[in-house]
Amino acid sequence: MKKKIIYCVLSAGLLVVIAFSLGLGAMDIPMRSVLLVLAKKAGIFSNAIVDEQYEAVLTIVRIPRMLLGILVGAALGVSGAAIQAIFRNPLAEPGFVGISAGASLVSALIIALEVGLLAGLSEWLGQYLLVFGAFAGAGIAAMLVYRLSKTDGKPNVATMLLAGIAINALAGAITGLITYTSNEQQLRTITFWMLGSLAGAGWTTVACVAPFIIFSLIALPVQGKMLNAFALGESQAEQLGIRTSHIKRRIVLLSTLAVGSAVSVTGIIGFVGLLVPHTIRLLGGVDNRYVLPASALMGALVLTLADMIARVITAPMELPIGVVTALLGTPVFLYILIRDKKKLLH
């Protein structure tokens, strides 16, 4: 019953934030116009008369941006919950296994080379070049971490975390070198992208990443029952007949698919994958059959809210969304650390 209430509260909260997010920004749009445009697009009131400027802003800018925020937030939330479950570590997140760092490295490389070696390829593939490049970078980094973590043919969780730290450091160093040698325009693009933003959202962007993210959003929660067995320990899980190596590989692959796609269009957005699963467990328990879908829902809510704040607080300018999620997430993270420290002391 408690979990059903949490689902209902999160769903209602997401709908409210979506409504305000569509209405607020550099141009405020009355809620009635927002609802009429949504109804018109859904075919409910196809003859509704709405201000053309409002309709254009909503259709071309805010609705695709809102959809991208929901997809990316859900991807980060569910991937964070899944990675924490297989590592049995509440501080783990997709970035720990090099997914975000690998995606950001290749994306920075593409931005730096786009006007030179990759100009022809960029003209041909358009936005897909960055998407495929980021996904490839995330996949290569995750594969390296996975390979390095194997002992006697089986991945070791502790080694995987250490390998993730090493790959993150290497990718960060190369990205820093690319940034150092970039010109002013490239530097501005890379810096803004490294802080995360939904400013590049459009229907093409949504169409680029939606299939990959939606597939992961469906496939990851299905693993919830098997991930519950990981809480007992890998040996115990294997005694229950669960092939832990296969599950780990599947989780890392699906998380790479979701987070790599998200990073390719929004840049690095921190704290969502770390804190959302934490909060969901505090609210409703540790059953992964509930934690994974609820984390996806709350991730969508948090990122949509953060994007609205990023657009409104300094309008008509816009804050990088990664700054907002860090400002919102850090106090919560510190609270959790202090609370857990007190528990250990008592």
Side-chain angles (χ1 to χ4, degrees):
M1 185 65 187
K2 185 178 179 182
K3 292 170 185 170
K4 288 181 180 177
I5 293 174
I6 291 171
Y7 281 126
C8 290
V9 170
L10 289 176
S11 301
L14 180 59
L15 290 175
V16 170
V17 172
I18 286 172
F20 279 103
S21 177
L22 291 174
L24 298 176
M27 174 193 283
D28 288 340
I29 300 176
M31 190 60 64
R32 181 175 178 277
S33 298
V34 171
L35 296 175
L36 279 176
V37 170
L38 291 177
K40 187 177 179 181
K41 296 300 173 188
I44 299 173
F45 293 113
S46 54
N47 296 323
I49 299 173
V50 190
D51 185 298
E52 290 184 1
Q53 195 174 12
Y54 289 161
E55 187 172 356
V57 169
L58 286 170
T59 305
I60 299 171
V61 180
R62 294 193 187 168
I63 292 176
R65 183 171 181 140
M66 176 266 296
L67 290 174
L68 188 65
I70 289 173
L71 285 171
V72 171
L76 295 175
V78 74
S79 300
I83 292 288
Q84 288 176 8
I86 61 166
F87 282 103
R88 288 183 290 137
N89 186 333
L91 296 179
E93 64 159 349
F96 272 46
V97 291
I99 295 173
S100 299
S104 64
L105 169 60
V106 176
S107 297
L109 193 62
I110 290 173
I111 291 170
L113 297 177
E114 194 170 7
V115 295
L117 296 175
L118 297 177
L121 198 57
S122 177
E123 188 177 342
W124 181 48
L125 288 174
Q127 200 158 6
Y128 285 98
L129 176 63
L130 201 58
V131 174
F132 291 143
F135 177 65
I140 291 169
M143 187 182 68
L144 276 175
V145 170
Y146 188 79
R147 291 283 181 190
L148 289 170
S149 70
K150 277 191 171 182
T151 305
D152 296 330
K154 292 184 178 180
N156 179 279
V157 169
T159 311
M160 191 179 283
L161 279 175
L162 291 174
I165 291 171
I167 294 296
N168 275 325
L170 179 63
I174 299 174
T175 305
L177 184 62
I178 294 170
T179 305
Y180 182 74
T181 56
S182 298
N183 61 36
E184 189 177 342
Q185 176 59 37
Q186 291 166 344
L187 182 62
R188 192 178 297 115
T189 306
I190 291 173
T191 303
F192 197 75
W193 185 86
M194 294 288 286
L195 293 172
S197 174
L198 294 176
W203 289 110
T204 305
T205 314
V206 174
C208 277
V209 299
F212 306 111
I213 292 179
I214 289 173
F215 177 74
S216 299
L217 290 177
I218 295 170
L220 278 172
V222 174
Q223 316 299 321
K225 186 177 179 181
M226 284 177 282
L227 286 174
N228 281 343
F230 272 72
L232 304 171
E234 290 188 38
S235 301
Q236 287 80 358
E238 287 182 351
Q239 288 174 2
L240 293 173
I242 293 174
R243 302 169 73 181
T244 55
S245 297
H246 287 209
I247 298 299
K248 286 178 191 172
R249 189 162 53 236
R250 197 178 304 160
I251 293 298
V252 171
L253 181 63
L254 289 170
S255 298
T256 300
L257 192 64
V259 177
S261 304
V263 171
S264 70
V265 291
T266 64
I268 297 176
I269 299 174
F271 281 97
V272 178
L274 180 65
L275 291 175
V276 164
H278 247 313
T279 309
I280 289 296
R281 289 191 196 95
L282 285 174
L283 292 174
V286 297
D287 186 344
N288 284 300
R289 290 173 297 180
Y290 141 79
V291 171
L292 268 68
S295 294
L297 193 55
M298 187 169 182
L301 169 61
V302 168
L303 202 64
T304 308
L305 177 64
D307 180 53
M308 183 178 71
I309 293 172
R311 288 187 291 108
V312 170
I313 198 167
T314 57
M317 301 295 287
E318 181 179 317
L319 281 176
I321 195 169
V323 173
V324 179
T325 55
L327 289 173
L328 292 174
T330 303
V332 181
F333 186 58
L334 290 175
Y335 164 74
I336 292 169
L337 284 179
I338 293 169
R339 188 207 58 185
D340 289 351
K341 184 181 173 184
K342 287 180 178 176
K343 279 184 180 178
L344 289 174
L345 290 175
H346 291 86

